[in-house]
Amino acid sequence: MSSEPLTTRRMGVGRGLAFVVTGPSGAGKSSVINRVMEQLPNLAFSVSYTTRPRRKGETDGVDYIYISHEKFTSLIDSSEFIEYTTYLEDRYGTSRSQVERVMMSKKDVILDIEINGARSLRQAGLGKCTIVYIFIAPSTLDRLGERLRARGTESDTAIAARLRIAEQALADLDKFDYLVINDDLDTAVDELRAIIAAERTRIRSANH
Ligand code: 5GP
């Protein structure tokens, strides 16, 4: 055996892994992601740009970068988005410079994006990154509705629209690598952490 450590034969940390987490609004993606990031090192969150107003409890630059529609358009023109979408009334986009910065820092990146964003990434790829697609959802749409109502941040009309989008997103489920059910936060956190750990120990890229 050569003296080169065997760890270099694994995908490992900082070898270009991107974890794309998709799932309906209200699925609890942010809570799961935040907990996993507290527990796993070398993982950076891709903070998206959005034109949606900041919700109570959110922080600019941490949850999102909140910008105007005009600024969003100018960022499209300067090719700052790896992908972007319009979701209900607002626009959301993944920052190219931010993802590149994470890759340079030899960390893995985790993205929280909706189904159209995941679709765009599947077509365009992410440079040399291996992308792992993870879908997070509660076990039923009824539970999702309960969560959205309990969150109390959207009107009944906005909740109904989010549920319709969630139902449509399920049609794409078989294009994902993993499904995490978030009925119980601890279980969902364990599952996402296990997926990341498994992908980091992988030898061959699953995208081959
Ligand atoms: P919310 O308004 O509930 O924070 O987000 C609405 C939806 O937009 C969520 O499903 C979230 O995953 C998605 N989203 C957040 N950032 C981005 C992004 O940069 N690109 C895309 N395509 N979707 C995003």
Side-chain angles (χ1 to χ4, degrees), residues 25 29 48 52 55 64 83 85 92-94 112 114 162:
S25 174
K29 282 169 293 174
S48 294
R52 117 157 135 57
R55 286 189 195 126
Y64 285 105
E83 62 73 38
T85 195
Y92 297 78
T94 302
D112 172 348
E114 52 66 79
R162 278 161 196 253

Side-chain angles (χ1 to χ4, degrees), residues 2-110:
S2 83
S3 57
E4 186 189 19
L6 274 178
T7 44
T8 59
R9 304 280 294 272
R10 316 198 289 200
M11 288 301 295
V13 169
R15 305 276 294 277
L17 281 174
F19 297 96
V20 169
V21 177
T22 299
S25 174
K29 282 169 293 174
S30 321
S31 310
V32 178
I33 290 172
N34 289 339
R35 285 269 294 275
V36 168
M37 290 193 54
E38 281 165 21
Q39 295 174 18
L40 281 184
N42 298 316
L43 202 53
F45 182 65
S46 156
V47 183
S48 294
Y49 287 99
T50 185
T51 60
R52 117 157 135 57
R54 193 162 58 83
R55 286 189 195 126
K56 208 163 156 248
E58 290 182 340
T59 309
D60 192 12
V62 175
D63 298 288
Y64 285 105
I65 301 164
Y66 303 90
I67 55 173
S68 64
H69 280 271
E70 292 71 31
K71 175 75 183 167
F72 200 98
T73 307
S74 83
L75 289 177
I76 294 174
D77 293 343
S78 59
S79 305
E80 167 54 6
F81 294 124
I82 290 173
E83 62 73 38
Y84 62 91
T85 195
T86 302
Y87 180 89
L88 300 174
E89 309 279 276
D90 282 299
R91 307 187 90 178
Y92 297 78
T94 302
S95 158
R96 182 180 306 283
S97 49
Q98 211 185 113
V99 170
E100 284 174 357
R101 219 175 303 129
V102 174
M103 290 302 153
M104 296 287 286
S105 73
K106 302 275 180 213
K107 289 184 177 173
D108 296 330
V109 68
I110 187 156

Side-chain angles (χ1 to χ4, degrees), residues 117-147:
R119 243 178 241 149
S120 307
L121 279 183
R122 226 175 261 123
Q123 277 169 10
L126 200 51
K128 287 184 184 156
C129 281
T130 298
I131 311 180
V132 180
Y133 294 92
I134 302 155
F135 197 90
I136 298 192
S139 57
T140 65
L141 284 174
D142 284 350
R143 268 180 195 261
L144 184 66
E146 282 163 25
R147 288 251 188 97

